[in-house]
Amino acid sequence: MADKKDMKPGKSSAKQAPDASRRQFMKNSGLVVGGVAGGSLLGGLLTNQFKSDKSAPVKTEDQKVELTEARMFFERYEDFVVLEQATERILPKDDNGPGAIELGVPYFIDKQMAGSWGINGTDYRQGPFLKNDPPVDQTSLNRGQVIITGIRKMNEESKNRFDVTFDKAEEEQQIEILQDFESSKVKLRGVNAGSMFQLLRELTMEGAYSDPLYGGNRNMAGWKMQEFPGAVPSYADIIEKEEFVKRDPMSLTSYQQKS
Amino acid sequence: MAEKLDKVDVVVVGSGWAGGIAAAELSKAGYKVVCLERGKERSTKDFVGSKDELRYTKRHELAQDLTKQTMTFRNNVGEDAIPMRKHNGYPIYDEGTGGTSVHWSGWSYRWLPFDFEIRSKIIEKYGEERIPKDMIVQDWGVTYDDMEPYYDKWEKTAGISGEVNPLGPPRSDEYPNPPMKESPAIRLFADATKKLGYHPFRMPAATVSQQYVNPDGETINACVFCAFCSMYGCDFAAKADPIVTVLKTAQKTGNFEIRNNAHVKRILHDGKKATGVLYVDPLTLEEFEQPADLVVSAAFFSGNNRLMMLSGIGEQYNPETGKGVIGKNFTSHYTGIGGNAATAYFEDKKFNTFAGAGALGCVIDDFNGDHIDNTDTDFLHGFNISIFQDGAAAIANNRVPQGTPYWGKEFKEKSVHYAHRYLNIGGMQGTMPYTHNYLDLDPTYKDVYGDPLLRITAKFTDQERNMAKMIAEKCAEIAEEMGADIIDTPPVADDVEMTSSSVNTHAAGGVIMGVDPETSAVNTYSQVWGMENVFVVGGSSFPHFGNSNPTETIGAFAYRAAEGMIKYLKGDGGLLVESKTSKETV
């Protein structure tokens, strides 16, 4: 446990930093420092200060805060926003209902990559692995590494092609890049791009439609959109019915036995 | 150094249907039985509240831990095989109490009189020249009539719910339970196939239609159509599996012990007879030797083959010379060819497809190996066609008509629109054995204990491709009669190739039965020709694959094998049937 004294300086300096000088600092550090050190300093400023910044949006009591929605796998915010936009292009918001972002898909993927699925915890992992543009299932990279590799390449492609990061690119530009991933026109180091894209697509669908216990399908909105009732004990009463039966979905939180 | 345990009468490797039936019958007969199950302990408690598509269907919670062991796959001799590193759409196999027999859907068919005498019947009907040289199809050594009592016994143990197939082979009795309730999708299929002149009947189901007590006194509950069925253990103990039936029966005798976390590495023997098995606890890595008078290998097709190969029992099959029997005649209901053969989309109808049960379905047998005339087909054997409503859960339930992009705006729109507006009609192929489809040990990849993995070498031929095309055609015809607005059939290209994901739990062969030790590894009681106190039970004994699900035939042959084991233990040893030389066999 860190001594209270050690924690003080960081905290107090963050609180005291006035708005104008913070902006100035960000500008300077971006210009002068850059790289890892600058990023780390910036990160500290951004995450610690915005909450106390009166000009920033403040979450009020009546606004529901998803306390589980913080990153446990993606270290860089700049990677996460690429993930957000890529999944939203795969499953976009429309008149039928929410898209990937609103459904919590990016946080679902973050949690999956931080867990055993991301490190291929149940897979056979002995070598040799395939070397020549291998699919996701045959590469030496684990799924977390595959996703990060792909996400960063999406960003790089966007910057090269359109002079803008992927998350800031136009929808059509994002789609173009994703299509080039899908058809393996883009080359990734260590894994086939089309296969990486299929993994991302699959994760997006899983995040939209799995039980909300995994952090996706937020508020069961994916199930409501698809008219899927979730975990229902019995359909013996409706199995013979001709007409379609619509009902509010039930999640495992309600279904499973609890103390 | 392995710790040597006290000797028992019988050691059974594997606790699925094959091992469970052997365990129940032998322990009922008074023999001390130890069952070694490599996976963890499982009971019906594990399945309560397990309605989690991601965990069970997508991540395959019940499937085997591949970190320890898997199989490798290649198409041709001379290629490097690649390991199957994860479970694909279908798991490769399961582990834990009940084995792969827990996640099953409960489709319970008898195979055909044609299957058991297949070589003779083909020659009789179409002449010997009709059989390609590399198609090593052979008679099984039993007839359907021989097997009928065992089929009947199995159906009563599992409480199969069904109606008599109007085109089916003779039966000594009806199913023990009436068919499951009928959903509109099933009515639609039944009406359409009737109109087309076919003979629909309700899919025989191990998802039981009413509460039932089997002849061993075990209760199976009535299915409630909750839809979390295939890939799941049943939340309500309403699907017949070894946990609620045969393993429970064995436990009641007081003669049975199941040891979980017991991964059998070798059958120990002196060259003539087995002395027991060597196993390792995958958690503690301790090794044990379990001596026994009789060894029953019931470790799925893959485990059975590998155990024979690693233990040096029987001669490894060589595809170049055709010599050897272990690893021969690998067959499977290959995924990706003739699976869901038509998807029928309806603009004005919505179905409650989120409800269902693993074996809620309807079937026609008009094209099966007994009924189709192969004179005019460019393949041998046949197929069945069925519709089933096993519960479309939300992740998988995103089918869109062919030509629709697989992601993006149009995909989203259509996947939501069609979510409850489509039905699948599927076919299942009879699969013939070929000289080039076989199993052996991989020279490169090892399991966690350092033993080589099982290697599959297999490819499609025109036989499978041509049959898949006809299945798609017939399914589309039915879909049209059902009034579908859009009908999709999977393209079956002339050059479609088998991949590692073509292999699923419907895989068989390698330790096949027959009457001749030159061309078979076991006799029709699943007793190893060259080692009389070893019985290798399960799909590994099938010389080819019939055109419906394998479980009931595995169950029937397990009952026959168990009868043989008891006869063997009661008698003075020796083989239960005389072998015939290759000259005498057809």
Side-chain angles (χ1 to χ4, degrees):
Chain A
M1 191 82 192
D3 195 75
K4 268 191 177 172
K5 246 185 2 197
D6 295 337
M7 294 171 73
K8 255 186 181 167
K11 257 192 163 177
S12 58
S13 73
K15 267 186 184 162
Q16 282 160 15
D19 218 19
S21 68
R22 182 171 60 83
R23 267 193 228 108
Q24 191 57 43
F25 175 73
M26 283 166 71
K27 211 176 156 188
N28 290 344
S29 61
L31 283 168
V32 182
V33 189
V36 177
S40 148
L41 279 169
L42 270 173
L45 275 169
L46 291 169
T47 49
N48 292 335
Q49 286 194 339
F50 270 157
K51 296 283 154 66
S52 58
D53 184 345
K54 289 196 177 68
S55 66
V58 178
K59 302 258 185 193
T60 55
E61 286 291 319
D62 56 329
Q63 264 180 305
K64 204 184 167 204
V65 183
E66 296 289 351
L67 298 175
T68 56
E69 293 194 350
R71 299 189 305 277
M72 60 167 85
F73 173 79
F74 283 88
E75 291 156 314
R76 296 184 194 169
Y77 177 68
E78 67 185 60
D79 289 335
F80 192 72
V81 288
V82 174
L83 176 76
E84 285 184 319
Q85 290 305 311
T87 56
E88 185 69 18
R89 293 292 76 73
I90 290 170
L91 201 69
K93 183 181 172 76
D94 66 3
D95 294 344
N96 292 299
I101 293 175
E102 211 175 310
L103 288 167
V105 167
Y107 284 104
F108 165 88
I109 294 176
D110 180 71
K111 286 174 172 55
Q112 286 289 306
M113 293 304 101
S116 72
W117 194 241
I119 56 165
N120 299 49
T122 57
D123 291 0
Y124 181 77
R125 294 294 285 165
Q126 294 188 36
F129 290 89
L130 293 188
K131 289 216 163 61
N132 186 20
D133 201 29
V136 169
D137 290 351
Q138 293 295 337
T139 170
S140 55
L141 278 66
N142 66 31
R143 289 187 189 90
Q145 291 160 340
V146 166
I147 289 293
I148 282 287
T149 301
I151 290 293
R152 291 204 175 148
K153 185 74 177 178
M154 283 172 192
N155 217 10
E156 195 185 311
E157 286 292 316
S158 181
K159 284 188 267 189
N160 288 345
R161 294 184 196 191
F162 313 119
D163 215 19
V164 62
T165 54
F166 185 91
D167 57 298
K168 299 277 183 351
E170 300 293 325
E171 275 188 26
E172 288 68 30
Q173 294 172 328
Q174 292 172 340
I175 290 167
E176 180 193 304
I177 291 171
L178 292 175
Q179 282 170 340
D180 288 351
F181 266 72
E182 189 185 25
S183 61
S184 302
K185 270 186 201 148
V186 173
K187 297 294 167 207
L188 298 179
R189 188 173 155 81
V191 65
N192 173 268
S195 187
M196 178 270 159
F197 179 80
Q198 287 308 326
L199 174 64
L200 182 65
R201 182 205 177 271
E202 199 178 356
L203 284 164
T204 303
M205 300 307 287
E206 289 172 353
Y209 294 117
S210 58
D211 190 281
L213 79 91
Y214 296 100
N217 187 15
R218 196 189 278 150
N219 302 321
M220 298 189 280
W223 287 354
K224 283 173 197 157
M225 177 166 69
Q226 208 205 58
E227 299 179 322
F228 178 70
V232 173
S234 167
Y235 293 118
D237 53 337
I238 66 146
I239 194 70
E240 294 171 305
K241 278 196 176 146
E242 282 287 345
E243 62 275 18
F244 187 73
V245 177
K246 213 174 149 177
R247 52 193 295 171
D248 289 335
M250 187 194 269
S251 77
L252 284 171
T253 303
S254 312
Y255 186 85
Q256 286 182 350
Q257 186 180 18
K258 281 187 172 163
S259 53
Chain B
M1 191 63 195
E3 182 188 337
K4 196 164 178 172
L5 304 167
D6 292 338
K7 191 176 172 184
V8 293
D9 295 324
V10 183
V11 63
V12 179
V13 186
S15 66
W17 275 121
I21 287 169
E25 295 302 293
L26 288 159
S27 59
K28 279 196 296 188
Y31 298 102
K32 294 282 176 201
V33 180
V34 164
C35 179
L36 302 175
E37 164 53 52
R38 74 169 134 199
K40 66 181 176 186
E41 189 250 332
R42 274 206 180 99
S43 75
T44 48
K45 277 188 278 190
D46 292 293
F47 311 138
V48 177
S50 65
K51 299 183 181 332
D52 184 339
E53 186 189 10
L54 187 71
R55 183 173 180 182
Y56 290 89
T57 304
K58 297 289 291 180
R59 305 280 187 261
H60 297 297
E61 174 72 32
L62 300 179
Q64 186 184 311
D65 177 3
L66 297 182
T67 63
K68 301 208 166 46
Q69 191 186 86
T70 184
M71 299 186 281
T72 68
F73 178 86
R74 62 178 182 172
N75 288 129
N76 298 295
V77 173
E79 293 170 1
D80 289 331
I82 53 164
M84 296 157 81
R85 295 188 177 279
K86 75 179 242 286
H87 296 283
N88 287 302
Y90 290 94
I92 304 170
Y93 31 46
D94 295 351
E95 65 178 26
T97 309
T100 311
S101 308
V102 171
H103 91 245
W104 77 310
S105 308
W107 301 19
S108 304
Y109 296 99
R110 295 179 177 203
W111 281 4
L112 315 168
F114 171 75
D115 282 313
F116 303 112
E117 301 166 86
I118 188 165
R119 188 174 183 88
S120 307
K121 299 246 182 198
I122 291 173
I123 291 171
E124 190 186 303
K125 282 182 173 172
Y126 314 110
E128 189 161 11
E129 62 282 2
R130 185 66 202 275
I131 303 173
K133 242 195 176 145
D134 56 353
M135 186 191 279
I136 41 177
V137 64
Q138 63 190 58
D139 291 356
W140 291 36
V142 286
T143 63
Y144 172 81
D145 291 342
D146 295 330
M147 292 308 297
E148 203 285 334
Y150 305 112
Y151 272 132
D152 183 63
K153 188 162 186 176
W154 149 265
E155 285 168 0
K156 285 173 177 154
T157 298
I160 301 306
S161 305
E163 63 179 332
V164 172
N165 173 1
L167 300 180
R171 308 172 52 94
S172 57
D173 202 354
E174 291 187 3
Y175 286 107
N177 285 303
M180 308 186 77
K181 285 180 182 175
E182 195 177 68
S183 71
I186 285 164
R187 276 196 285 278
L188 198 55
F189 177 88
D191 291 346
T193 48
K194 257 183 230 162
K195 270 186 207 148
L196 289 166
Y198 304 137
H199 302 81
F201 62 101
R202 296 299 308 283
M203 182 180 283
T207 43
V208 178
S209 59
Q210 59 188 5
Q211 198 183 57
Y212 170 75
V213 180
N214 80 5
D216 292 318
E218 315 307 343
T219 302
I220 309 169
N221 292 327
C223 172
V224 294
F225 306 92
C226 83
F228 290 85
C229 195
S230 303
M231 304 298 163
Y232 302 80
C234 183
D235 201 331
F236 308 98
K239 174 167 72 174
D241 69 16
I243 295 175
V244 298
T245 60
V246 287
L247 293 174
K248 225 175 176 180
T249 302
Q251 290 286 6
K252 281 196 309 206
T253 64
N255 293 324
F256 175 71
E257 182 198 343
I258 181 165
R259 246 172 250 157
N260 289 88
N261 301 308
H263 193 143
V264 176
K265 294 171 78 176
R266 297 286 186 281
I267 296 172
L268 303 168
H269 60 88
D270 60 12
K272 285 184 181 136
K273 281 175 110 174
T275 54
V277 299
L278 175 73
Y279 72 91
V280 59
D281 180 333
L283 303 180
T284 64
L285 301 180
E286 291 169 286
E287 285 201 331
F288 300 93
E289 184 186 333
Q290 177 61 65
D293 287 331
L294 190 78
V295 174
V296 181
S297 185
F300 213 67
F301 96 93
S302 46
N304 283 350
N305 273 279
R306 193 159 169 270
L307 211 44
M308 295 292 275
M309 290 168 191
L310 289 174
S311 307
I313 303 172
E315 191 189 342
Q316 168 68 47
Y317 169 74
N318 180 337
E320 311 289 340
T321 63
K323 283 200 169 145
V325 289
I326 306 297
K328 188 176 172 249
N329 289 40
F330 170 76
T331 55
S332 172
H333 285 150
Y334 307 114
T335 310
I337 196 156
N340 283 333
T343 305
Y345 295 90
F346 299 83
E347 290 300 340
D348 305 324
K349 279 199 190 90
K350 279 173 91 177
F351 301 91
N352 295 313
T353 41
F354 52 77
L360 176 63
C362 190
V363 202
I364 60 166
D365 244 0
D366 296 77
F367 301 100
N368 78 18
D370 259 358
H371 299 116
I372 193 168
D373 187 351
N374 287 141
T375 311
D376 302 322
T377 60
D378 43 12
F379 54 81
L380 285 166
H381 210 299
F383 51 89
N384 72 14
I385 290 178
S386 65
I387 193 165
F388 59 98
Q389 188 175 335
D390 65 346
I395 302 169
N397 192 18
N398 282 285
R399 202 168 276 225
V400 286
Q402 270 171 33
T404 310
Y406 210 41
W407 54 278
K409 281 182 181 149
E410 195 187 341
F411 165 77
K412 164 94 182 288
E413 175 82 35
K414 289 198 175 164
S415 65
V416 173
H417 174 73
Y418 286 114
H420 295 97
R421 287 185 167 92
Y422 74 91
L423 300 172
N424 289 319
I425 301 159
M428 208 170 266
Q429 297 199 349
T431 311
M432 302 301 240
Y434 284 92
T435 51
H436 49 76
N437 292 348
Y438 73 104
L439 308 161
D440 65 357
L441 293 174
D442 192 279
T444 306
Y445 293 99
K446 310 243 182 294
D447 71 7
V448 76
Y449 312 113
D451 284 326
L453 298 182
L454 187 73
R455 175 172 66 179
I456 299 172
T457 305
K459 59 185 175 189
F460 291 145
T461 66
D462 286 342
Q463 156 80 20
E464 292 83 31
R465 288 186 278 256
N466 292 340
M467 201 191 300
K469 286 176 199 167
M470 184 167 172
I471 293 174
E473 200 181 290
K474 295 296 170 191
C475 290
E477 177 193 37
I478 294 165
E480 202 176 332
E481 187 63 40
M482 286 165 69
D485 297 297
I486 303 170
I487 299 165
D488 278 351
T489 54
V492 183
D494 288 332
D495 56 354
V496 63
E497 257 312 341
M498 205 190 293
T499 67
S500 60
S501 39
S502 305
V503 181
N504 57 66
T505 43
H506 288 207
V511 193
I512 64 171
M513 72 174 76
V515 294
D516 177 5
E518 293 283 313
T519 54
S520 61
V522 295
N523 62 33
T524 58
Y525 288 93
S526 302
Q527 182 185 30
V528 176
W529 286 123
M531 199 164 285
E532 62 183 48
N533 68 338
V534 177
F535 286 69
V536 184
V537 191
S540 56
S541 67
F542 298 167
H544 74 276
F545 222 108
N547 63 208
S548 57
N549 303 53
T551 302
E552 176 156 340
T553 299
I554 289 172
F557 273 102
Y559 273 116
R560 182 178 167 87
E563 190 186 291
M565 292 168 205
I566 293 167
K567 214 168 142 189
Y568 175 81
L569 286 169
K570 274 190 184 157
D572 307 323
L575 290 171
L576 292 158
V577 277
E578 290 284 309
S579 64
K580 287 180 187 168
T581 69
S582 53
K583 305 289 168 276
E584 291 170 273
T585 54
V586 187

